[in-house]
Amino acid sequence: MTTGVRRRMGVEERRQQLIGVALELFSRRSPDEVSIDEIASAAGISRPLVYHYFPGKLSLYEAALQRASDDLAGRFVEPREGPLGARLLRVMRRFFDFVDDHGPGFAALMRGGPAVGSSTTNALVDAVRQAAYVQILSHLDVEDPPARLELVIRSWISLVESTALIWLDGRRIERGELEVQLVHDFAALAAVSAAYDPEVAGLLRKGLRDEPGDGPFTDLVVRLLALASPPEA
Amino acid sequence: MTTGVRRRMGVEERRQQLIGVALELFSRRSPDEVSIDEIASAAGISRPLVYHYFPGKLSLYEAALQRASDDLAGRFVEPREGPLGARLLRVMRRFFDFVDDHGPGFAALMRGGPAVGSSTTNALVDAVRQAAYVQILSHLDVEDPPARLELVIRSWISLVESTALIWLDGRRIERGELEVQLVHDFAALAAVSAAYDPEVAGLLRKGLRDEPGDGPFTDLVVRLLALASPPEA
């Protein structure tokens, strides 16, 4: 069933190869537009052989998404050293690398729709969000977050997703600027919450203790002040 | 086909009644859990008669969602008078009224999934987002927004959605506080963007001209300053 020169692969090896080929195709175009024929052709095997390993396109898509999710969740892992702002910026850089590599597939997945909105794919997306949430909590050194802190973190994660989607639609802003902006957005949203909730304020103060004077939060406050004062003549 | 005492409805009247009944049911529970039998029973008609007006549950769901979308888009319309913060707060109140009324259905729709993720439902959700975006631009008196301003507005809209979803999951924060917080979040995100982009800064300054001294932005800056200074002993 394979061409003459190509050596035979074991079952698991072949599955992994197919997942890799599929992920590549599902990343570059909307999954709606990728056919099993195309995947078979890219993998150098016959269409029936693809079906031997995966019952249909959805199961192959889900396997590819599982691999992409593991990859993405791994990018959130960051040593617990140095200022929080710098750690978050490194994570944002790795996140945008991922978005850059998987643009059309990422956009199709996050926008939802019949081809990509199965309960399995939704669960995978939620698992990645949860991994991001748990990482941030761990860096803030918080085990039992108050409701407002949970809200800040989870809603900021959705802000990151939507910012990436808007960026992908035309790439009209330099991605490095967005990476920095999202770190500042986190500081700003946490600050809004902290401004009204003593518990979040206490956690934020603790987090800011190790921020350098030119870190995102200090920088932001200075710039906000300049903005609140009258414009220069 | 109707019971003896009940008067016969015209076609359009019956369609509208069915949409109303369906919207009520789809709002209170996940659409997956609502059956055509239940809708028929709630409307006081037979199951075949429901199918006479709507070919299936999806088309009835889409019609109900269309009505809900029109309702929601209407709530974004706000007179262009008075401080921007106060206008946005009134819109947030009406938005949370809507979310409160349609909680489970709203959550199911926004989380996506097979029953609710058709291309029609996605288009309806996007149309509501676009209506919100256009309203905000109009209140800011901007016709041709720079990319960063578009990003701030669109990503804030997604922040509002995710905040509402998190609120619905347990309602652990008083919704009035969230309404105020989201107005502050808008100011904070706009300020982050303005802090790095002169064009957005100019638009923000113009918008802040009419803000009262105790408006959300001024209030926020004062509170941020207090936060940046050392905690009181």
Side-chain angles (χ1 to χ4, degrees), chain B residues 15-97:
Chain B
R15 274 182 60 90
Q16 293 305 323
Q17 181 229 8
L18 271 173
I19 291 171
V21 166
L23 178 57
E24 178 90 13
L25 289 168
F26 288 138
S27 298
R28 289 200 190 154
R29 296 211 311 283
S30 172
D32 287 328
E33 299 165 9
V34 177
S35 68
I36 287 281
D37 281 330
E38 208 174 340
I39 295 166
S41 158
I45 64 176
S46 68
R47 180 187 163 94
L49 193 53
V50 175
Y51 283 110
H52 177 71
Y53 293 101
F54 294 94
K57 195 170 100 172
L58 182 62
S59 74
L60 188 46
Y61 178 68
E62 287 173 354
L65 192 61
Q66 176 75 63
R67 184 183 289 181
S69 304
D70 293 345
D71 170 7
L72 182 52
R75 296 180 194 223
F76 301 148
V77 180
E78 170 70 27
R80 294 173 61 177
E81 286 161 17
L84 289 172
R87 295 185 217 173
L88 197 55
L89 183 57
R90 285 191 292 270
V91 173
M92 285 298 95
R93 291 207 170 119
R94 292 195 296 266
F95 171 73
F96 271 86
D97 283 342

Side-chain angles (χ1 to χ4, degrees), chain A residues 10-230:
Chain A
V11 171
E12 193 48 33
E13 197 184 354
R14 174 64 86 190
R15 273 182 61 90
Q16 294 304 325
Q17 180 227 10
L18 270 172
I19 291 170
V21 165
L23 179 57
E24 178 91 13
L25 289 168
F26 288 138
S27 298
R28 289 200 189 156
R29 295 210 315 283
S30 172
D32 287 327
E33 299 165 8
V34 177
S35 69
I36 287 281
D37 282 330
E38 208 174 339
I39 295 166
S41 157
I45 64 176
S46 69
R47 180 188 164 93
L49 193 54
V50 175
Y51 283 110
H52 176 71
Y53 292 100
F54 294 94
K57 194 170 100 173
L58 182 62
S59 73
L60 188 46
Y61 177 69
E62 287 172 354
L65 193 60
Q66 176 74 63
R67 184 183 288 183
S69 304
D70 293 344
D71 170 8
L72 182 52
R75 296 180 194 223
F76 300 148
V77 181
E78 170 71 26
R80 293 173 62 176
E81 286 161 17
L84 289 172
R87 296 185 216 172
L88 197 54
L89 183 57
R90 285 191 292 269
V91 173
M92 286 297 95
R93 291 208 170 119
R94 293 195 295 266
F95 171 72
F96 271 87
D97 282 343
F98 177 91
V99 171
D100 212 354
D101 284 347
H102 303 281
F106 177 82
L109 174 66
M110 302 313 288
R111 293 218 173 87
V116 292
S118 78
S119 54
T120 306
T121 59
N122 285 345
L124 284 170
V125 172
D126 278 341
V128 172
R129 288 179 182 137
Q130 184 63 19
Y133 174 69
V134 166
Q135 276 296 321
I136 292 174
L137 274 190
S138 120
H139 282 271
L140 293 175
D141 228 347
V142 175
E143 279 192 15
D144 188 23
R148 279 177 173 278
L149 183 63
E150 178 175 349
L151 177 71
V152 165
I153 301 172
R154 291 199 190 275
S155 61
W156 176 79
I157 291 168
S158 88
L159 188 80
V160 173
E161 289 172 20
S162 58
T163 298
L165 281 172
I166 294 165
W167 174 68
L168 281 173
D169 185 16
R171 307 197 177 200
R172 290 187 295 150
I173 303 173
E174 207 261 301
R175 63 166 259 202
E177 288 181 35
L178 290 184
E179 291 159 9
V180 174
Q181 183 179 308
L182 283 165
V183 175
H184 293 150
D185 285 344
F186 184 82
L189 294 175
V192 169
S193 191
Y196 295 86
D197 186 271
E199 199 174 355
V200 176
L203 292 168
L204 190 61
R205 277 214 183 84
K206 208 178 65 168
L208 291 176
R209 242 185 351 222
D210 302 324
E211 279 314 285
D214 57 351
F217 187 78
T218 315
D219 184 48
L220 178 66
V221 171
V222 169
R223 282 167 180 268
L224 283 178
L225 275 179
L227 200 66
S229 55

Side-chain angles (χ1 to χ4, degrees), chain B residues 125-147:
Chain B
V125 172
D126 278 341
V128 172
R129 289 180 180 136
Q130 183 64 18
Y133 174 68
V134 167
Q135 277 296 321
I136 293 174
L137 274 189
S138 120
H139 282 270
L140 293 175
D141 229 348
V142 176
E143 280 191 15
D144 188 22

